[in-house]
């Protein structure tokens, strides 16, 4: 049966309503009626063909909150009516070393991502959350313990939340650590909230002077306007950890210069055009640059439970499906406060 979705037929075409099919609910599957779906900058990169390799039609969306409408015969952990989340992955082999270590995002036999991954069902690749419903393997369905009225603002935790949580945890961001968050967009604003909740000293870096007060309200102890060379110089050699969420190509040396000895700059942005190679001279003293990709299912559940317990959600602007294109254009300009979330009930209008 055809369901309503929103997607692109080519990189130079705007997103528009389309009809898609979902597979029947298999024994290990869970069928979810969509309530909300966040808009990640990855959705824009993918739909517009900025990463090459986009398979069309492309239905993006991997920050999903919905309600279970059917469960397969082998499903044990969930029931019809449960409110659940789905993030960037919908399946993996479950047997390889990465899967065994709860790192399904690195499945050696190929993670099935929520969109743009090859599958047998039509049209031959996965279609994401800008749709009325989705069918997901049970292992990739997350329990949501937030209050009902928070659910729209929980959706962005499924990607923006876990993508910042995972590297912050790995860096032991917490009391006594000085942590920088670069780029105050969807990921960055969650990074500020989480690093603050962990007890770190948090410094936000933004190119937008208009976000300074917001960044403080989100939890930053200090805010640096990165276009101001004096403000940047005042932070030299002082950071244990910097998380860089910028969605466009930029010079990393500006941030490696701010690391203390043994400090780490972790990148999560995947810009259309790669960042220039970092200058190795800045890395003397045990400083490192690395890249982090989302997080495993177990740590995603841990993040959701922590956020429910601490009342942490994203700051969102709720939009209708026919406003997704306008949202993409604003996101390109860095003008999002701080995540768009699509109200799925508008998909059928
Ligand atoms: P977003 O909401 O658009 O935020 C990106 C922020 O980067 C902007 O708000 C802006 O913050 C800053 N920025 C500075 N210069 C920019 C420029 N020239 N163009 C655009 N932004 C600029 O994006 P997001 O959803 O947080 O995603 C950020 C990046 O992470 C994207 O590349 C996305 O694909 C990637 N991502 C990676 C993973 C992963 O697993 N590694 C997961 C999700 C997303 P200021 O105004 O404060 O400067
Ligand atoms: Zn994302």
């Amino acid at each position: 049966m055809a369901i309503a979705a929103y997607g692109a037929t080519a990189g130079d075409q705007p997103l528009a309503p389309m009809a898609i099919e979902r597979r029947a609910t298999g024994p290990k599957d869970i069928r979810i009626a969509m309530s909300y779906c966040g808009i990640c900058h990855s959705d824009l990169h993918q739909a517009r063909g900025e990463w090459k390799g986009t398979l069309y039609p492309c239905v993006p969306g991997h920050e999903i909150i919905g309600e279970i409408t059917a469960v397969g015969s082998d499903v044990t952990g969930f029931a019809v009516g449960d409110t659940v989340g789905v993030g960037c992955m919908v399946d993996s082999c479950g047997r390889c070393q990465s899967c065994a270590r709860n790192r399904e995002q690195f499945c050696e036999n190929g993670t099935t991502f929520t969109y743009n991954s090859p599958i047998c069902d039509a049209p031959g690749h996965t279609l994401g959350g800008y749709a009325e419903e989705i069918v997901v393997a049970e292992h990739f369905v997350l329990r949501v313990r937030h209050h009902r009225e928070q659910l729209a603002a929980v959706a962005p935790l499924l990607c923006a939340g876990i993508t910042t949580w995972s590297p912050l945890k790995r860096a032991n961001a917490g009391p006594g650590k000085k942590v920088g968050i670069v780029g105050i967009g969807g990921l960055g604003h969650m990074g500020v909230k989480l690093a603050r909740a962990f007890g770190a000293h948090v410094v936000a870096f933004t190119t937008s002077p208009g976000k300074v007060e917001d960044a403080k309200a989100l939890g930053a102890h200090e805010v640096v306007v990165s276009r101001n060379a004096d403000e940047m110089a005042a932070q030299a050699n002082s950071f244990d950890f910097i998380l860089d969420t910028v969605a466009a190509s930029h010079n990393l040396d500006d941030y490696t210069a701010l690391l203390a000895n043994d400090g780490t700059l972790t990148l999560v942005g995947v810009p259309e055009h790669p960042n220039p190679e970092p200058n190795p001279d800045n890395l003397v003293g045990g400083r490192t640059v690395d890249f982090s990709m989302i997080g495993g299912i177990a740590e995603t559940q841990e993040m959701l439970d922590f956020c429910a317990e601490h009342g942490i959600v994203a700051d969102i602007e709720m939009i209708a499906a026919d406003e997704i294109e306008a949202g993409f254009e604003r996101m390109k300009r860095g003008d999002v406060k701080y995540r768009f979330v699509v109200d799925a009930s508008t998909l059928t209008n």
Side-chain angles (χ1 to χ4, degrees):
M1 194 184 73
I3 60 156
Y6 225 79
T9 51
D12 59 0
Q13 290 301 308
L15 271 72
M18 58 173 63
I20 63 167
E21 303 268 345
R22 296 292 190 195
R23 67 169 178 263
T25 315
K28 296 181 191 325
D29 284 340
I30 293 185
R31 190 169 213 92
I32 300 164
M34 204 72 61
S35 305
Y36 305 103
C37 186
I39 297 187
C40 179
H41 207 116
S42 300
D43 299 354
L44 187 162
H45 292 307
Q46 190 83 66
R48 297 282 198 252
E50 292 182 359
W51 287 340
K52 320 299 176 222
T54 299
L55 304 165
Y56 295 97
C58 171
V59 175
H62 57 204
E63 294 185 336
I64 292 165
I65 293 286
E67 200 170 292
I68 297 181
T69 55
V71 296
S73 52
D74 293 352
V75 169
T76 54
F78 293 90
V80 170
D82 289 355
T83 296
V84 291
V86 177
C88 302
M89 306 180 276
V90 290
D91 212 349
S92 72
C93 83
R95 298 180 308 273
C96 72
Q97 198 185 183
S98 296
C99 288
R101 294 178 56 237
N102 299 317
R103 296 285 178 270
E104 299 88 345
Q105 71 273 38
F106 308 126
C107 175
E108 281 138 51
N109 295 303
T111 307
T112 305
F113 292 99
T114 307
Y115 52 79
N116 212 59
S117 279
I119 48 167
C120 301
D121 313 303
H125 58 272
T126 49
L127 302 171
Y130 300 179
E132 278 183 287
E133 61 173 29
I134 193 163
V135 179
V136 180
E138 178 181 14
H139 180 72
F140 292 84
V141 175
L142 284 309
R143 231 165 266 288
V144 175
R145 299 189 162 91
H146 285 77
H147 297 295
R148 199 151 195 82
E149 62 278 9
Q150 295 176 301
L151 290 179
V154 173
L157 301 182
L158 276 306
C159 175
I162 184 59
T163 302
T164 50
W165 167 281
S166 185
L168 284 167
K169 278 285 178 192
R170 218 161 33 241
N172 291 315
K177 293 283 175 71
K178 186 174 179 185
V179 170
I181 306 289
V182 185
I184 307 305
L187 267 54
H189 97 288
M190 286 311 309
V192 170
K193 288 188 186 211
L194 292 173
R196 178 67 188 244
F198 296 161
H201 180 85
V202 183
V203 183
F205 292 88
T206 180
T207 58
S208 311
K211 293 183 183 173
V212 170
E213 289 312 312
D214 282 0
K216 286 183 187 156
L218 291 166
H221 296 93
E222 301 174 58
V223 184
V224 172
V225 176
S226 53
R227 297 195 199 283
N228 183 330
D230 293 340
E231 283 185 52
M232 290 293 279
Q235 300 284 344
N237 297 318
S238 67
F239 283 86
D240 297 293
F241 179 67
I242 301 177
L243 183 63
D244 183 338
T245 75
V246 174
S249 177
H250 61 291
N251 189 342
L252 304 180
D253 300 337
D254 295 346
Y255 295 101
T256 53
L258 307 188
L259 294 174
N261 281 351
D262 300 320
T264 299
L265 170 66
T266 293
L267 310 173
V268 287
V270 189
E272 178 180 8
H273 305 291
N275 299 313
E277 192 86 357
N279 177 357
D281 292 350
N282 277 18
L283 302 178
V284 172
R287 297 170 174 90
T288 51
V289 178
D290 68 5
F291 179 81
S292 187
M293 192 175 85
I294 51 174
I297 292 299
E299 62 178 333
T300 304
Q301 189 63 64
E302 194 189 329
M303 176 276 305
L304 282 172
D305 292 347
F306 176 93
C307 289
E309 192 181 320
H310 292 82
I312 297 172
V313 293
D315 287 21
I316 64 160
E317 281 185 54
M318 186 101 87
I319 61 170
D322 63 6
E323 296 173 295
I324 292 173
E325 267 298 314
F328 271 22
E329 291 310 313
R330 278 186 53 196
M331 190 156 62
K332 242 181 144 53
R333 298 197 298 270
D335 175 26
V336 186
K337 306 252 168 109
Y338 279 88
R339 198 59 138 184
F340 290 118
V341 173
V342 180
D343 175 352
S345 69
T346 63
L347 278 162
T348 43
N349 292 345

